[in-house]
Amino acid sequence: MDWFVVDGHEDVAMTLLLDQGRDFGAPAPEGRGLSLPDAQRGRLGVILATIFAPDGYWKGLSAMGAARKQLALYDELLDKHAEHLFRVESRGDLALCRAGGPIGVVHLVEGADPIASPDALGWWVDQGVRVVGLAWNTPNRYCGGTYDDQGLSDEGRALLQAMHEQGVLCDVSHLNRHAVDDVLLAAEGPIVASHSNAHAVHPHRRNLRDEHVRAIADREGIVCVVLYDGFLGDGKSDVDDVVAHVDHLVSVAGPAHVGIGSDIDGGFGTHEVPDGIDTVADLVKIGGARLARGYGEKDARGILGENWRRVLHEALPE
């Protein structure tokens, strides 16, 4: 099958900084799931590549310092692999993306700690940022995160307004239930969850409840399944567990509002992703598994990539 795959959440810069000396142009080493060759084999056409810089996470660096270091790494990476990777900044750029390459890179800020103020957002847009998650696991000046119950602050509301004005999507994946409620009330335009599973399938603070899934769909957004064992179920998972979350999300949101945000090279190794998914080259198995269950090809294509491509097209400038 000639899939076009969009991976809605990959910590590319974080992983390369942690794995000093690793060549992104070589197949991923054991325990890692993303490299340029793996992305090409897996028919990836777009990667949402994160800037991950919560306050205090990178020892010896401020949030802004860590973010600048990651942006510099992306610049080097895109320059080195210019034939195969490029930064997507417009609808025209998005139209140039092809399954297996050239692969478009869209930046997602995971935790808005390095964004000094809503007025500073324009600088980030100039760097290629098109998606922002207001907080990570812990609260910041904008919003509460996964493991607290704080909602959206006034400064967070101002940042959401700036994001709407500049075509930046809000990612609610790491926000707590109260914060998601606040964002849905305050934000204008589409909302995304770049890497979240279904709470109804596996109750976990990081998984979205049906009412939030439905509200994101109503806003023409997308909810993307994340391939981490701990968010998929109890114990070791497999592709069927992934498809169970996909199926539930489709039943709530409709097939046009579900995607993949694998996070396969996040803060865990491939020993904590489903059996049968060794690298991003195996993401196409999710589409194959849905076809095997009798679902239509159009829906499978949408979930693997076309739904993300539609959402990005609407958010990007001409």
Side-chain angles (χ1 to χ4, degrees):
M1 185 69 66
D2 188 22
W3 304 107
F4 180 96
V5 180
V6 177
D7 193 337
H9 196 98
E10 282 292 357
D11 295 321
V12 180
M14 182 186 84
T15 304
L16 293 178
L17 288 172
L18 293 175
D19 298 348
Q20 290 292 328
R22 175 180 162 191
D23 180 5
F24 192 71
E30 186 171 351
R32 292 298 184 188
L34 175 64
S35 70
L36 178 56
D38 295 307
Q40 291 169 322
R41 287 192 301 114
R43 312 293 295 163
L44 267 68
V46 177
I47 297 171
L48 277 85
T50 71
I51 297 159
F52 178 73
D55 279 322
Y57 187 89
W58 297 94
K59 291 183 173 28
L61 288 172
S62 66
M64 186 57 168
R68 284 185 176 276
K69 189 170 185 177
Q70 290 172 56
L71 283 167
L73 188 151
Y74 282 123
D75 287 342
E76 293 173 9
L77 193 68
L78 296 178
D79 183 61
K80 181 177 180 179
H81 301 289
E83 184 179 350
H84 307 291
L85 292 169
F86 71 102
R87 188 175 276 120
V88 172
E89 300 183 68
S90 69
R91 291 177 179 177
D93 290 342
L94 185 65
L96 297 174
C97 299
R98 297 290 182 269
I103 299 170
V105 172
V106 177
H107 288 316
L108 183 161
V109 173
E110 186 174 15
D113 306 59
I115 302 176
S117 71
D119 291 340
L121 182 65
W123 183 87
W124 294 89
V125 173
D126 290 343
Q127 313 311 306
V129 170
R130 287 294 164 184
V131 186
V132 171
L134 297 184
W136 183 55
N137 284 344
T138 52
N140 59 25
R141 61 187 172 280
Y142 296 117
C143 197
T146 303
Y147 294 110
D148 63 87
D149 293 308
Q150 294 185 35
L152 189 64
S153 70
D154 288 343
E155 196 167 8
R157 290 181 175 84
L159 180 56
L160 284 175
Q161 182 60 37
M163 289 164 61
H164 175 67
E165 292 169 357
Q166 298 183 54
V168 177
L169 295 165
C170 180
D171 179 9
V172 298
S173 277
H174 269 283
L175 306 189
N176 63 65
R177 187 180 182 183
H178 180 197
V180 176
D181 285 336
D182 284 355
V183 166
L184 288 167
L185 285 172
E188 299 180 64
I191 303 292
V192 305
S194 71
H195 58 314
S196 293
N197 293 338
H199 190 275
V201 177
H202 179 58
H204 191 286
R205 283 185 72 100
R206 273 283 281 106
N207 292 343
L208 286 175
R209 297 171 185 270
D210 285 356
E211 61 266 28
H212 291 151
V213 174
R214 192 172 296 110
I216 290 170
D218 289 344
R219 301 281 288 272
E220 297 301 324
I222 188 171
V223 178
C224 301
V225 171
V226 57
L227 305 188
Y228 174 56
D229 286 340
F231 301 155
L232 288 165
D234 295 318
K236 191 61 191 165
S237 65
D238 57 23
V239 174
D240 285 341
D241 293 307
V242 178
V243 175
H245 281 270
V246 170
D247 286 353
H248 182 81
L249 293 172
V250 167
S251 73
V252 176
H257 302 288
V258 180
I260 305 296
S262 78
D263 202 17
I264 201 169
D265 255 0
F268 50 88
T270 52
H271 64 285
E272 294 179 278
V273 304
D275 285 341
I277 306 287
D278 296 321
T279 72
V280 292
D282 296 315
L283 296 181
V284 294
K285 293 181 179 179
I286 299 169
R290 294 204 91 239
L291 290 178
R293 293 187 178 198
Y295 291 93
E297 181 181 329
K298 180 181 177 182
D299 290 352
R301 286 185 180 278
I303 290 159
L304 276 184
E306 296 299 337
N307 294 340
W308 251 126
R309 183 150 59 172
R310 183 196 71 248
V311 171
L312 289 172
H313 179 270
E314 290 302 313
L316 288 164
E318 293 289 351

